[in-house]
Amino acid sequence: MSRPSINRRAFLRRTVPVTVLPMLLGGFTVKAYGRGPLLQALVGAQGETDRVLVLVQLNGGNDGLNTVIPLDQYSELMAARGNIAIPEDKVYRINDATGLHPSLQGLGEMCRGGLLSVVQSVGYPSPNFSHFRATDIWLTASDSNVVLTSGWLGRYLDEEFAGYPTGYPNPSAPDPLAIQIGSVVSLGLQGPEASMGMALTSPTSFYQMVSGVVDTAPATPAGHELTFIRQVSQQTEQYAAVITAAAGKAANLSPLYPSAGTNALADQLKIVAQLIAGGLRTRIYVVNLGGFDTHSAQVSATGGTETGTHAGLLQKLNDAILAFQDDLHRLGIERRVVGMTFSEFGRRIKSNASLGTDHGAAAPVFVFGQPVRGGVVGANPVLPDVATSSDNIAMGIDFRSVYATLLRDWFGVPQAELEAVLLKNFASLPLIFKKSPDSKLPIVSSAELPREASLGQNYPNPFNPSTIVPFTSDGGALTIAVYNELGQRVCILADGTFPAGSHEVRFDAADLPAGTYFCRMTAGGKSHTTKLLLLK
């Protein structure tokens, strides 16, 4: 009795893992995911946009209350978690109401300088406290009571990959849609019915790629599927070739990266920066940092509560993003890249007796990059006067609103297609400055333009010999000048009328002595001043 033919996608769904390229970059396995015509709605038509999104997954459930500290409720915080709370005088203050863990000082400076947004109390209704289920919810963008097998980005891939892998890559779509650095497969890039790539590890598959020949298989249903798998494998090697070529065209420039092997996230982001600078037209990168499931020993038992496991993890996050952002700037590609951190859930308000925290609900998300508005989005979570072991941070912002904002305001996805991907309509957040006309994305509406000019904190700071000074213009005339400690003007950085929106200027102090300088913006009859520290 003959076996029924197997549906190709059903076959793949059951048997084929996501593509693993048979190559290492910086010691990490690289996973590549294809792209095609319909995905132009996400990434823009070829040549229409060169925008990149980097997703940073913090595996394990990051403790939001020790990451972003509600200083306006510090007494309630101490009452709930006095054995692990960060001392108030150690907190890096973003503003009077909100601060960051002292290990995140670099990210705090990015926030104050307009390069990072802290999105407060991000979650979803009826939260799930299982690592696996909560992760699936975040990656699929589903309701907590709905199980989806496709990811929020994978749904775009499935729509645009008619006939995949036949015809891909091709001259108009030569590069992967998404690249994951590391060994953990992201469900966010899974299509509704099939993985978008194939595992490829054998030398035979490599030689099939270079020869352009796929071995024949028996003329049976199983043989047809084997031929299909070999075809995907061949395509995978072609993606490996373009990735390798891009890696060979650029080198990292930032001296801020930690030593190789000491910070896994930094090692991954270093590869991402190199590939972007090397000309790879991939639009989505996925990286991750694990270890955030801090049920015990979250803080040091012998040192201060600002030290310990969680502090070390946040330091790695801080150092990795800081180096990555500096690298993007030095490579001249910082305007092209926006990043986002997320974790499957936060932790409980009340700490436990093991100097740790248990699975919780909502938590902060960081969105970072030169195109980001910067600051704090959303109110601080409200803490009870007397917290119990079951109390959680309530959702203030649905995580899918963050996704909707990135898709709509960064990638320019039309509303109808946006709702098809996220399955519902979610409001946008004030996260992204949409720049035109060179962006070839929708012109920002007058309601979204800055109401007044403002001066951001320079980055990096301290610096040597140059630094970037970010500022926003309301469309009027402005002047930005630098003064020394004696009040003497040493240079003018900007003088004129700038389009409403976000801008930046470079301050080159190679010929100036080390010391403290003051940057002053005058606009609309008001002045704004920031302190610059030059070290030599």
Side-chain angles (χ1 to χ4, degrees):
M1 183 170 146
S2 63
R3 282 169 55 182
S5 176
I6 303 174
N7 174 274
R8 172 180 291 180
R9 292 199 171 215
F11 172 79
L12 289 176
R13 184 173 59 225
R14 292 196 298 266
T15 62
V16 180
V18 177
T19 300
V20 180
L21 296 181
M23 59 180 290
L24 296 177
L25 287 178
F28 287 89
T29 301
V30 176
K31 299 174 186 292
Y33 305 83
R35 69 186 289 246
L38 188 60
L39 190 65
Q40 311 311 346
L42 172 61
V43 303
Q46 191 120 358
E48 289 293 320
T49 181
D50 59 358
R51 298 186 173 196
V52 175
L53 174 64
V54 179
L55 301 177
V56 181
Q57 184 171 358
L58 309 179
N59 302 101
N62 180 42
D63 180 19
L65 282 177
N66 267 24
T67 300
V68 180
I69 293 93
L71 294 171
D72 57 349
Q73 299 170 76
Y74 192 77
S75 60
E76 290 87 348
L77 189 72
M78 284 296 294
R81 47 171 57 202
N83 61 338
I84 68 166
I86 306 302
E88 190 171 8
D89 63 349
K90 301 286 187 180
V91 174
Y92 181 92
R93 290 176 175 265
I94 298 174
N95 53 44
D96 290 340
T98 308
L100 295 179
H101 191 288
S103 293
L104 297 176
Q105 180 175 344
L107 297 191
E109 292 176 359
M110 286 178 60
C111 183
R112 296 182 67 177
L115 293 172
L116 181 142
S117 287
V118 177
V119 189
Q120 288 281 43
S121 304
V122 181
Y124 52 90
S126 303
N128 191 287
F129 303 118
S130 160
H131 287 293
F132 302 106
R133 177 60 189 142
T135 298
D136 285 353
I137 290 169
W138 272 84
L139 294 177
T140 63
S142 71
D143 290 334
S144 63
N145 62 344
V146 175
V147 175
L148 298 178
T149 57
S150 61
W152 64 290
L153 292 171
R155 288 193 284 275
Y156 263 105
L157 291 170
D158 182 77
E159 288 292 330
E160 59 96 16
F161 265 87
Y164 179 87
T166 302
Y168 295 93
N170 56 53
S172 63
D175 302 335
L177 160 70
I179 290 177
Q180 179 171 341
I181 312 295
S183 58
V184 179
V185 176
S186 176
L187 177 59
L189 296 168
Q190 168 72 33
E193 295 189 50
S195 295
M196 307 311 295
M198 297 292 300
L200 186 64
T201 57
S202 71
T204 300
S205 297
F206 171 77
Y207 289 116
Q208 288 175 351
M209 181 275 294
V210 297
S211 66
V213 175
V214 177
D215 287 349
T216 58
T220 64
H224 297 322
E225 302 304 341
L226 179 58
T227 299
F228 179 68
I229 290 175
R230 288 172 175 169
Q231 186 178 17
V232 174
S233 297
Q234 177 177 317
Q235 180 219 40
T236 297
E237 287 291 356
Q238 291 175 290
Y239 283 140
V242 299
I243 291 171
T244 302
K249 293 178 182 177
N252 301 104
L253 300 180
S254 177
L256 301 182
Y257 285 112
S259 299
T262 63
N263 185 326
L265 180 59
D267 291 343
Q268 295 170 65
L269 289 175
K270 191 174 183 180
I271 294 170
V272 173
Q274 183 181 5
L275 293 179
I276 297 172
L280 200 68
R281 287 179 284 183
T282 295
R283 296 297 179 259
I284 299 166
Y285 293 84
V286 182
V287 296
N288 67 85
L289 178 64
F292 287 88
D293 194 18
T294 51
H295 287 282
S296 62
Q298 178 172 318
V299 302
S300 172
T302 56
T305 54
E306 72 276 12
T307 65
T309 300
H310 193 235
L313 290 168
L314 294 182
Q315 191 69 59
K316 288 183 177 181
L317 177 67
N318 177 87
D319 295 350
I321 292 179
L322 201 63
F324 178 63
Q325 195 64 38
D326 181 61
D327 206 15
L328 297 179
H329 165 66
R330 292 170 184 266
L331 290 165
I333 53 176
E334 62 183 343
R335 290 182 178 272
R336 296 179 49 201
V337 184
V338 165
M340 170 191 164
T341 71
F342 72 99
S343 195
E344 63 261 41
F345 43 59
R347 318 296 290 189
R348 298 293 170 96
I349 295 174
K350 187 175 178 62
S351 59
N352 58 38
S354 301
L355 298 180
T357 48
D358 298 320
H359 297 183
V365 160
F366 296 147
V367 179
F368 60 91
Q370 193 276 340
V372 172
R373 292 176 184 263
V376 180
V377 177
N380 283 348
V382 177
L383 306 182
D385 293 335
V386 180
T388 70
S389 60
S390 61
D391 283 331
N392 270 301
I393 297 299
M395 180 195 78
I397 295 173
D398 195 299
F399 74 102
R400 291 162 291 189
S401 282
V402 182
Y403 291 173
T405 300
L406 295 173
L407 291 171
R408 182 188 292 117
D409 293 349
W410 183 234
F411 282 133
V413 176
Q415 183 63 31
E417 296 183 26
L418 188 64
E419 292 184 28
V421 170
L422 295 180
L423 310 178
K424 293 181 181 179
N425 183 22
F426 294 96
S428 284
L429 303 170
L431 294 175
I432 304 294
F433 279 122
K434 292 174 285 186
K435 299 177 179 62
S436 298
D438 59 340
S439 66
K440 297 188 178 180
L441 288 178
I443 303 290
V444 63
S445 70
S446 59
E448 296 174 298
L449 292 174
R451 296 184 180 275
E452 64 177 30
S454 63
L455 180 65
Q457 183 64 51
N458 65 303
Y459 173 78
N461 193 40
F463 69 98
N464 179 28
S466 65
T467 187
I468 294 298
V469 177
F471 66 96
T472 58
S473 169
D474 59 2
L478 60 85
T479 300
I480 301 176
V482 178
Y483 299 81
N484 62 21
E485 291 182 285
L486 298 177
Q488 300 167 323
R489 191 175 71 191
V490 298
C491 70
I492 295 177
L493 299 180
D495 186 17
T497 300
F498 293 80
S502 178
H503 304 273
E504 62 182 29
V505 289
R506 180 186 295 272
F507 173 38
D508 188 347
D511 298 329
L512 295 174
T516 301
Y517 292 83
F518 299 90
C519 186
R520 178 179 300 165
M521 169 195 274
T522 303
K526 298 181 181 180
S527 64
H528 311 261
T529 303
T530 59
K531 185 183 295 184
L532 319 178
L533 183 58
L534 173 61
L535 299 179
K536 288 190 174 181

